[in-house]
Amino acid sequence: MANLVVIGTQWGDEGKGKVVDLLAEQADIIVRFQGGHNAGHTLVIEDKVFKLSLLPSGIIREDKITVIGNGVVLDPWVLLKEIKQVRSQGINISADRLLVADNTPLIMPYHSNLDQAREKATSNKIGTTGRGIGPAYEDKVGRRAIKAGDLKDVDLLWKRLKVASEYHGFEVQQVFDEIITIRDEFLQYVNPVAEWLNEQADAGKHIMFEGAQGSMLDVDFGTYPFVTSSNTLAGMASIGSGVPHNKIPNVIGITKAYTTRVGEGPMPTELHDDVGWHIAEVGKEKGTVTGRDRRCGWFDAVQVRKTCMLNGCTGIAFMKMDVLDQLSSIKICVDYIDNTPVYEEMSGWRTSTIGMTQYSELPIQAQQYVDKIEELIKTPIVLISTGPERDQTILLNDSLF
Ligand code: IMP
């Protein structure tokens, strides 16, 4: 397996967790490179359900090394809590299998407070997760962030907090005391990661980069201002880890068989009728992080074609097609005229595809749906997911696995 990056091609929640976990089997190292604990990955492994928001999905495979790269904004309290929770589910997490880049900016308590207060006060609501992601990225570019490695030197930490407090107006002593209580426990994971990752890549180790959110939430190319505060596109894997782009040849785009979105902002193919409710119910479309209902709609091929281009997708994993099993007709947005979606209607298959493992098993209408989308988005579909379990998968291209 060549090094690869896995990203969402829509508005997040495409089902990255399952694919990342499948691909993790072949990887030696799994890296998160952007976002923070606004992400939510649900992994179903046999009878266990793991809900991760910050730890790379590879953490649940004990023979893998996982990395939180500098492109992430990291809440150290949340990290330690999540480690505890995953450990309580029987997974061994030690400092030799979880590395945090020392140049990773931290989310501090004042960031989440600010995020929530702003959302309450503004007339321009984004519907953020309220986790402090935006304010933490602002501090990073505003050159007043506290970075993970700063905790190694308490004098430096104090100085950095003072600079941040000039802007945010918090009591330095209080925040200092709070962070000092978790300092040792947190620092055991903190390392200069970029050099190590490059050495591993040069030694032929397989690295998988795990994206969070989705391409339409990218701060540059998404539906601005209704976006997250990081670059979610594949190119960010390099910047957010220090591994140059020419060492990451494969880009797997995760695409749901329909569209969902959490939070505010445009969603042209949104359904406000029974079909939308049906998709939401069958697809269990509730946010992993905030528990909010996701807005549901038809597949937008124009959007996914564009995000495949922006990411340079080399293959698509097509998720949750079984959610459409009972529909008598299915629409695909194939074009826009005056900002209004133009749909092509196809007949549904009205039979269960759950758990199918061969393309040839799929009803002909489902095959036609897959083929049509592949043609429209101009990118090969390499995997079709037919349920949440690892083995509920149709592999169309074994070369990645
Ligand atoms: P923030 O990332 O908390 O700043 O929220 C900005 C926007 O991104 C909001 O619309 C969130 O609902 C959305 N968002 C953030 N993380 C995720 C995710 O993992 N999946 C889907 N939407 C997300």
Side-chain angles (χ1 to χ4, degrees), residues 174-305:
Q174 190 189 331
V175 177
F176 181 82
D177 291 347
E178 261 182 77
I179 193 127
I180 285 298
T181 59
I182 58 160
R183 178 173 174 256
D184 291 344
E185 197 185 349
F186 174 61
L187 274 181
Q188 61 179 312
Y189 303 107
V190 177
N191 296 276
V193 166
E195 295 81 353
W196 179 83
L197 272 175
N198 276 280
E199 280 163 25
Q200 299 300 311
D202 294 345
K205 296 278 191 222
H206 301 304
I207 308 178
M208 180 176 65
F209 296 85
E210 173 184 353
Q213 290 85 47
S215 304
M216 295 302 287
L217 290 168
D218 182 275
V219 68
D220 285 290
F221 288 97
T223 43
Y224 193 89
F226 302 99
V227 292
T228 192
S229 303
S230 64
N231 286 108
T232 57
L233 296 179
M236 184 63 195
S238 293
I239 306 293
S241 69
V243 177
H245 69 92
N246 55 0
K247 289 184 184 167
I248 316 174
N250 282 338
V251 180
I252 302 300
I254 314 295
T255 297
K256 200 142 56 176
Y258 47 96
T259 308
T260 63
R261 162 158 218 178
V262 222
E264 307 299 320
M267 177 178 165
T269 64
E270 183 169 8
L271 286 161
H272 298 281
D273 58 10
D274 288 352
V275 179
W277 285 114
H278 174 81
I279 292 174
E281 200 177 302
V282 179
K284 299 191 180 67
E285 295 296 351
K286 232 179 212 327
T288 317
V289 173
T290 58
R292 285 180 290 178
D293 288 332
R294 295 179 186 142
R295 300 154 65 190
C296 295
W298 296 121
F299 187 85
D300 188 337
V302 179
Q303 176 203 104
V304 176
R305 179 164 61 229

Side-chain angles (χ1 to χ4, degrees), residues 45-64:
I45 303 205
E46 283 150 19
D47 57 341
K48 282 193 182 156
V49 179
F50 295 89
K51 285 192 187 290
L52 305 175
S53 64
L54 190 52
L55 288 167
S57 298
I59 199 77
I60 58 173
R61 293 178 179 271
E62 293 180 338
D63 56 335
K64 311 295 175 193

